[in-house]
Amino acid sequence: MSKHTEIRFEEAVEESLINKGGYLKGKASDFEASFALFPEEVLAFIEASQPTRWRSLVNLHGEKAGDVLVGSLVKELASKNALHVLRHGFKCFGKTFRLAYFAPNTGMNPQAAEAYAHNRLRVTRQVHFSERNSQKSLDMVLSVNGLPVVTLELKNPMTGQTVDHAMRQYKRDRDPTESVFRFKERALVHFAVDPDQVFMTTRLSGEKTRFLPFNRGHSFGAGNPPALDGGYRTAYLWEQVLTPDSLMDILARFLHLEVSETKVATKRGVKRHRKEALIFPRYHQLDAVRKLVASARDKGPGHNYLVQHSAGSGKSNSIAWLAHRLSSLHDANDEKVFDTVVVITDRRVLDQQLQNTIYQFEHKQGVVQKIDENTQQLAQALSAAVPVVITTIQKFPFIAQAMDTLAKKGETVSLETGSKRFAVIVDEAHSSQSGETAMELRKVLNRDGIESAIAGEFLDVEEEDLSEEARKALFEEILKRPRQPNISFFAFTATPKYKTQAVFNEPGPDGQPPFHLYSMRQAIEEGFIMDVLANYTTYKTYYGLIKSIEDDPQVPKRKAARALARFMSLHPHNIAQKVEVIVEHFHRHSRHKIGGRAKAMVVTASRLHAVRYKQAFDEYITKRVKEDTRYTGIRSLVAFSGTVADPDFPDQSYTEVGMNDGIKESELPGKFDSEHYQVLLVAEKYQTGFDQPLLHSMYVDKRLAGIQAVQTLSRLNRTAPGKEDTFVLDFVNEPSDVFQAFKPYYEATLAGEESDPQQLYDLQHRLEEAQIFTPDEVNAFAEIWFRNRNEPTAADHQKINTVLDQAVERYKTLDDDEQEEFKGQLASFRNLYGFLAQVIPYQDSGLEKLYSYARFLLSKLPRRKDDTVFKLEDEVSLKYYRLQKISEGSIDLGVGEAEPLYGPREVGTARGEDESVELSTLIGKLNERFGTEFTPADQLFFDQIAESALENETLQEAARANTMDNFSYVFNKMLEGLFIERMDGNEEIFGRLMNDDDFRHLASNHMLRDVYERLRAEKSMP
């Protein structure tokens, strides 16, 4: 054992760094503890790399020049931090001296390459660092031109010492006030290393020091895989990460100071807390960015990359690093790979973080431009080839309108995108890259390329039925769908859908997509997120329903089941019992977690459920406070959109602001973050993208499945100081269903077999065989729609309705089952083409015309007469009710196989005839079990349209960027699209809106003002 000591491990690392890595061997005796520098190395570097300035300093100070320069350096390191000095140099008697040179982005500057070669990186062992105790030493120090930047403590398990001992040594035996350990001023990162694992930190704080894993991951979990060459598992650290070129690259383009500021209300006013953190990339971040950059350099634009990184992966920093690298990337011929990097995000936090991070690298303004005014600003930024543009995807459909507006102002903006190449970084892949808006982004960024393809007749499309003007617009639609040769997409998501995998399918280094993976399992095992399934309790509702009428009517089975479930879920006793369970559990078990700061979320099934829950919650708390004042500290907020009308109380309506005592929607997250509120009752809102680390418990009273289940329950997974666990109480879902939802995203997400492109032609054939529409009608529609698509007139609207009405009349002659079959196939065609056209370059005008026609026809086809909500509330009453805990414990995702994700397929959609059963028979069957999801009562039709408009991201963006007059153009243009999205409306009103221009005009004007004012007010828009 004596031959396998810690020294042997040190020797192996040092030998690799020197013989393979290119480091110079340093002398421990050269380290000056009082300065925490290798002074002679500093002077040697400056004399060799900057001889003229050095000689001028010598002429001025003679033999004291060295002491003067080192003294100035020490002061600058203290005031500006080591990272700033490394990147930008330091002042000494009016002259700027460089302490390091970094590799240039291109080979076109030989002087820069020559300067880079002057860097002197040394590895020094057993460095005695302390002014107070000369016996203390560091196992290894890596220095850049005399400045220590990396320290390492190496341990060997064969002598009973592991990486845990190294971390403990840093915490207990390394004084953070010693010069070499002072935060930001000297060593920038500290590694604890043994042959199996690596951990790192950028700030020593005694026992409070937080070490982060710096491991590659193994079998989708934590740790490191065995070395293929029989060496150390951790050899990647010194053979890849800490080599001179790699370390200099990290210092230049990754390491940065993150500054955050929080405001805390005190009796004397608002107190600001400033927090600084030095961000060193974790291994998966460094690996992902470097592999993406290398692929883009080698392959150029025209590729779609998927980065599947779990929550807790540090996605914001990964995006910032990638954006900076891509913005200055040059290929082997020293040509710029991308003219502009476009970052698509809805997160304001990422906006500011990306700007601050890149400013530290570049130290100049204008590199990053945030599009926070209007679409005209986006058009100008793209025209000017701004290196990095941050925007939302909703602005792209309005580019043409913005250019017209600028032209009227006398400003000429040219989007000559044909010669420009773009990198588009997508913050959340499936939410930002679906639908027509994403297609508009592609069309805008390859506008010239598409027009050139049409003008040069490079498009092999047969189309003789449309006018020249309409044909050109049709071809533009066809060409915008597949990937564009001048655009590369880099999409980040933790939960990719099948469509995401199909579109962003660039294979990774292993030959398979996703291009890069950091799994949920690894994030949990490494402690970056909580395991939200570790404490999962399910309740089941047992209840009896009896008829409150004497006769036993015949009722449709399916409709009656839904009506009874709705009656049960909204029954006051049901909600009251669940509220009692929630409050008592939170009071007794959860509120004391996280140092008494724990919060909870209640997920309800609908907006009406949220209203009823809020009422029951406040009523129960009021009652309990009278009995026990400790309940005073449990206060709730409710979150839902729009206005809710309660069908049981026709004169009553409710809003989020009203139920929250006047708290504005924009203020709600901040209020919930305060100590005044502990429970958030939600309906749809705050179930995705809401980061509140103090959320500890979740109470679920809604059917969840697939990605929705993962995203909703993952609201609990953020870590926080003192947060040791989480808790879920589920009234609705079975543990097996939750397992199936999470399993595909726990390790690697598998994709099922590819969708068959022939499905589309089969569907087209069946739709045409039904003889509901004719080819001439499709062509007539396409001629009107594509010819004046950007500025449709009232006459165009009337003509489109006239064309569509011919098919509607034929549809009405079908029986119910035939109607359902045709409508289902039409919807399947619409969805399938919208997806497959991104993956397969069909270049088929017939498909494109039918796709546009289908979108509008679906909005006009009448619904089945029995599709209204079937109500039985007056015919049944609650007999008995009992809540019973069914399961308690964890849901173990480590067992079983994950089912692959499958894409859209054409499946039979016709519904069988709803058989009639006696009400009592159905009630008997329903009383045997509970657990099916049912929808609440329909809301008023206009309220539905208004709510859809309020949640529509395109309209939100338009309201931000336009006056009401300009907004009206967008709103009226999208009105039919809103109808398409809302297929469950009142048919009488729907028909009037589509066919009666006066009625439509009056209704749209009423909704226009209401939607615009609410968007501007509720979203706190400028």
Side-chain angles (χ1 to χ4, degrees), residues 19-210:
N19 296 335
K20 297 179 182 178
Y23 275 80
L24 301 172
K25 184 178 178 66
K27 294 181 180 179
S29 59
D30 290 343
F31 185 77
E32 177 57 57
S34 60
F35 295 146
L37 292 171
F38 295 90
E40 295 304 319
E41 189 73 4
V42 173
L43 297 175
F45 165 74
I46 288 178
E47 183 176 359
S49 63
Q50 301 152 82
T52 303
R53 294 191 176 184
W54 169 248
R55 282 196 298 271
S56 67
L57 196 65
V58 171
N59 292 337
L60 187 62
H61 296 283
E63 294 181 355
K64 296 183 179 180
D67 294 336
V68 170
L69 186 137
V70 171
S72 295
L73 173 59
V74 170
K75 292 176 182 177
E76 292 264 304
L77 288 169
S79 62
K80 294 181 179 178
N81 76 57
L83 195 56
H84 184 279
V85 170
L86 279 169
R87 288 176 178 160
H88 309 296
F90 64 98
K91 291 280 189 178
C92 180
F93 278 80
K95 298 187 181 300
T96 299
F97 288 88
R98 299 298 304 267
L99 191 59
Y101 291 97
F102 296 100
N105 294 319
T106 73
M108 295 186 290
N109 188 343
Q111 290 78 16
E114 183 180 339
Y116 179 68
H118 279 295
N119 291 316
R120 305 157 70 99
L121 277 73
R122 290 189 182 273
V123 52
T124 309
R125 290 171 54 194
Q126 297 304 317
V127 176
H128 293 268
F129 61 85
S130 178
E131 296 179 72
R132 305 160 196 165
N133 187 341
S134 60
Q135 300 302 311
K136 290 188 175 183
S137 65
L138 282 160
D139 288 342
M140 193 169 289
V141 172
L142 305 184
S143 60
V144 175
N145 304 321
L147 176 71
V149 293
V150 180
T151 75
L152 301 97
E153 290 292 352
L154 306 171
K155 301 300 176 186
N156 189 346
M158 292 186 180
T159 60
Q161 297 278 301
T162 68
V163 70
D164 293 324
H165 293 88
M167 288 188 283
R168 193 175 304 130
Q169 187 174 19
Y170 270 120
K171 291 179 180 181
R172 297 178 180 177
D173 197 38
R174 299 291 180 257
D175 186 347
T177 64
E178 293 276 9
S179 297
V180 72
F181 299 127
R182 286 179 189 161
F183 176 62
K184 301 185 301 182
E185 294 184 22
R186 292 298 186 280
L188 299 172
V189 63
H190 311 279
F191 285 100
V193 190
D194 70 13
D196 300 316
Q197 293 192 84
V198 180
F199 288 79
M200 62 92 174
T201 186
T202 57
R203 187 170 197 166
L204 295 184
S205 305
E207 290 292 347
K208 295 181 179 179
T209 302
R210 185 189 181 198

Side-chain angles (χ1 to χ4, degrees), residues 457-466 471 474-475 478 761 764 779 842-849:
E457 298 183 356
F458 299 128
L459 183 63
D460 183 19
V461 180
E462 299 176 0
E463 179 52 61
E464 299 177 353
D465 298 312
L466 302 182
R471 184 159 60 243
L474 171 68
F475 290 170
I478 292 173
Y761 290 113
Q764 181 186 25
N779 285 326
Y842 282 104
Q843 295 196 2
D844 188 324
S845 65
L847 293 177
E848 185 69 41
K849 288 188 292 187

